[in-house]
PDB file of all heavy atoms in Angstrom:
ATOM      1  N   ILE A  78      41.380 -18.972   5.831  1.00 90.00           N
ATOM      2  CA  ILE A  78      40.089 -18.433   6.358  1.00 90.00           C
ATOM      3  C   ILE A  78      39.047 -19.549   6.387  1.00 90.00           C
ATOM      4  O   ILE A  78      38.263 -19.658   7.371  1.00 90.00           O
ATOM      5  CB  ILE A  78      39.646 -17.262   5.549  1.00 90.00           C
ATOM      6  CG1 ILE A  78      40.539 -16.077   5.766  1.00 90.00           C
ATOM      7  CG2 ILE A  78      38.233 -16.846   5.910  1.00 90.00           C
ATOM      8  CD1 ILE A  78      40.207 -14.837   4.919  1.00 90.00           C
ATOM      9  N   ALA A 204      49.375  17.623  -8.232  1.00 92.00           N
ATOM     10  CA  ALA A 204      49.156  16.234  -8.652  1.00 92.00           C
ATOM     11  C   ALA A 204      49.582  16.078 -10.154  1.00 92.00           C
ATOM     12  O   ALA A 204      48.657  16.094 -11.023  1.00 92.00           O
ATOM     13  CB  ALA A 204      47.732  15.807  -8.455  1.00 92.00           C
ATOM     14  N   TYR A 227      49.575   7.340  -8.777  1.00 93.00           N
ATOM     15  CA  TYR A 227      48.705   7.578  -9.952  1.00 93.00           C
ATOM     16  C   TYR A 227      47.211   7.422  -9.616  1.00 93.00           C
ATOM     17  O   TYR A 227      46.366   8.079 -10.189  1.00 93.00           O
ATOM     18  CB  TYR A 227      49.058   6.638 -11.093  1.00 93.00           C
ATOM     19  CG  TYR A 227      48.560   7.169 -12.420  1.00 93.00           C
ATOM     20  CD1 TYR A 227      49.323   8.107 -13.155  1.00 93.00           C
ATOM     21  CD2 TYR A 227      47.308   6.804 -12.917  1.00 93.00           C
ATOM     22  CE1 TYR A 227      48.841   8.617 -14.298  1.00 93.00           C
ATOM     23  CE2 TYR A 227      46.819   7.337 -14.111  1.00 93.00           C
ATOM     24  CZ  TYR A 227      47.609   8.269 -14.781  1.00 93.00           C
ATOM     25  OH  TYR A 227      47.155   8.755 -15.999  1.00 93.00           O
ATOM     26  N   LEU A 270      40.964   0.060   2.532  1.00 91.00           N
ATOM     27  CA  LEU A 270      40.223  -0.200   3.756  1.00 91.00           C
ATOM     28  C   LEU A 270      40.098  -1.701   4.047  1.00 91.00           C
ATOM     29  O   LEU A 270      39.680  -2.067   5.133  1.00 91.00           O
ATOM     30  CB  LEU A 270      38.800   0.369   3.624  1.00 91.00           C
ATOM     31  CG  LEU A 270      38.665   1.865   3.300  1.00 91.00           C
ATOM     32  CD1 LEU A 270      37.244   2.296   3.135  1.00 91.00           C
ATOM     33  CD2 LEU A 270      39.354   2.694   4.341  1.00 91.00           C
ATOM     34  N   GLU A 351      14.954  10.418 -30.348  1.00 76.00           N
ATOM     35  CA  GLU A 351      13.651   9.786 -30.584  1.00 76.00           C
ATOM     36  C   GLU A 351      13.314  10.021 -32.060  1.00 76.00           C
ATOM     37  O   GLU A 351      12.651  10.964 -32.406  1.00 76.00           O
ATOM     38  CB  GLU A 351      12.572  10.436 -29.641  1.00 76.00           C
ATOM     39  CG  GLU A 351      11.306   9.652 -29.557  1.00 76.00           C
ATOM     40  CD  GLU A 351      10.361  10.105 -28.449  1.00 76.00           C
ATOM     41  OE1 GLU A 351      10.719  11.091 -27.818  1.00 76.00           O
ATOM     42  OE2 GLU A 351       9.329   9.561 -28.330  1.00 76.00           O
ATOM     43  N   HIS A 353      11.505   8.980 -35.623  1.00 74.00           N
ATOM     44  CA  HIS A 353      10.171   8.415 -35.968  1.00 74.00           C
ATOM     45  C   HIS A 353      10.103   7.565 -37.184  1.00 74.00           C
ATOM     46  O   HIS A 353       9.119   7.087 -37.651  1.00 74.00           O
ATOM     47  CB  HIS A 353       9.168   9.598 -36.102  1.00 74.00           C
ATOM     48  CG  HIS A 353       9.129  10.462 -34.893  1.00 74.00           C
ATOM     49  ND1 HIS A 353       8.486  10.047 -33.724  1.00 74.00           N
ATOM     50  CD2 HIS A 353       9.559  11.700 -34.678  1.00 74.00           C
ATOM     51  CE1 HIS A 353       8.598  11.029 -32.823  1.00 74.00           C
ATOM     52  NE2 HIS A 353       9.265  12.063 -33.392  1.00 74.00           N
ATOM     53  N   CYS A 386      53.053  14.866 -29.756  1.00 92.00           N
ATOM     54  CA  CYS A 386      53.471  14.591 -28.406  1.00 92.00           C
ATOM     55  C   CYS A 386      54.985  14.143 -28.342  1.00 92.00           C
ATOM     56  O   CYS A 386      55.635  14.510 -27.309  1.00 92.00           O
ATOM     57  CB  CYS A 386      52.653  13.402 -27.883  1.00 92.00           C
ATOM     58  SG  CYS A 386      50.881  13.856 -27.484  1.00 92.00           S
ATOM     59  N   ILE A 408      43.996  30.346 -28.571  1.00 95.00           N
ATOM     60  CA  ILE A 408      43.670  30.130 -29.960  1.00 95.00           C
ATOM     61  C   ILE A 408      42.307  29.456 -30.099  1.00 95.00           C
ATOM     62  O   ILE A 408      41.492  29.841 -31.018  1.00 95.00           O
ATOM     63  CB  ILE A 408      44.767  29.220 -30.615  1.00 95.00           C
ATOM     64  CG1 ILE A 408      46.094  29.993 -30.624  1.00 95.00           C
ATOM     65  CG2 ILE A 408      44.351  28.809 -31.990  1.00 95.00           C
ATOM     66  CD1 ILE A 408      47.249  29.114 -31.075  1.00 95.00           C
ATOM     67  N   CYS A 434      14.511  16.855 -36.368  1.00 77.00           N
ATOM     68  CA  CYS A 434      13.812  18.117 -36.515  1.00 77.00           C
ATOM     69  C   CYS A 434      12.257  17.916 -36.406  1.00 77.00           C
ATOM     70  O   CYS A 434      11.652  17.438 -37.349  1.00 77.00           O
ATOM     71  CB  CYS A 434      14.142  18.744 -37.879  1.00 77.00           C
ATOM     72  SG  CYS A 434      15.808  19.526 -37.822  1.00 77.00           S
ATOM     73  N   MET A 491      48.013  17.408 -23.434  1.00 92.00           N
ATOM     74  CA  MET A 491      48.568  18.503 -22.654  1.00 92.00           C
ATOM     75  C   MET A 491      48.468  18.161 -21.164  1.00 92.00           C
ATOM     76  O   MET A 491      47.783  17.172 -20.697  1.00 92.00           O
ATOM     77  CB  MET A 491      47.787  19.795 -22.953  1.00 92.00           C
ATOM     78  CG  MET A 491      47.979  20.288 -24.331  1.00 92.00           C
ATOM     79  SD  MET A 491      47.461  21.992 -24.615  1.00 92.00           S
ATOM     80  CE  MET A 491      45.764  21.938 -24.064  1.00 92.00           C
ATOM     81  N   GLU A 598      47.585  -0.138 -33.759  1.00 87.00           N
ATOM     82  CA  GLU A 598      47.408   0.441 -32.450  1.00 87.00           C
ATOM     83  C   GLU A 598      46.370   1.572 -32.444  1.00 87.00           C
ATOM     84  O   GLU A 598      46.335   2.401 -33.361  1.00 87.00           O
ATOM     85  CB  GLU A 598      48.700   1.054 -31.906  1.00 87.00           C
ATOM     86  CG  GLU A 598      49.774   0.037 -31.586  1.00 87.00           C
ATOM     87  CD  GLU A 598      50.638  -0.337 -32.824  1.00 87.00           C
ATOM     88  OE1 GLU A 598      50.546   0.443 -33.818  1.00 87.00           O
ATOM     89  OE2 GLU A 598      51.379  -1.362 -32.811  1.00 87.00           O
ATOM     90  N   PRO A 664      69.675 -16.430 -10.062  1.00 91.00           N
ATOM     91  CA  PRO A 664      69.424 -17.883 -10.046  1.00 91.00           C
ATOM     92  C   PRO A 664      70.399 -18.599  -9.057  1.00 91.00           C
ATOM     93  O   PRO A 664      71.504 -18.135  -8.830  1.00 91.00           O
ATOM     94  CB  PRO A 664      69.733 -18.339 -11.533  1.00 91.00           C
ATOM     95  CG  PRO A 664      69.759 -17.124 -12.307  1.00 91.00           C
ATOM     96  CD  PRO A 664      70.189 -15.997 -11.399  1.00 91.00           C
TER      97      PRO A 664
END
Side-chain angles (χ1 to χ4, degrees):
I78 290 175
Y227 200 84
L270 304 178
E351 194 170 1
H353 303 287
C386 289
I408 294 170
C434 283
M491 293 195 303
E598 293 88 14

